Amino acid sequence: MKSTRKGLRDGELVKDTYERLTCAECEKVLKKRDDPDEVFSLRICPECGREWKDLR
């Protein structure tokens, strides 16, 4: 699982006009799952199911 920064650099993620992260493949806005026990939150594409770590 990559971080969101690596996903942006590799072209897997893009930001839309409102600075929301979207999946470059599906063009869907990523959903966020926040686990209070972890240092990071997960960004998940609702269409293809790929995941990226989002460090806080």
Side-chain angles (χ1 to χ4, degrees), residues 25-50:
E25 203 173 292
C26 307
E27 298 179 358
K28 298 284 184 178
V29 176
L30 300 181
K31 302 292 181 185
K32 187 175 186 179
R33 185 175 356 150
D34 192 16
D35 186 7
D37 296 334
E38 296 290 338
V39 178
F40 57 87
S41 57
L42 287 178
R43 296 294 200 135
I44 304 162
C45 178
E47 187 79 19
C48 64
R50 293 182 4 186

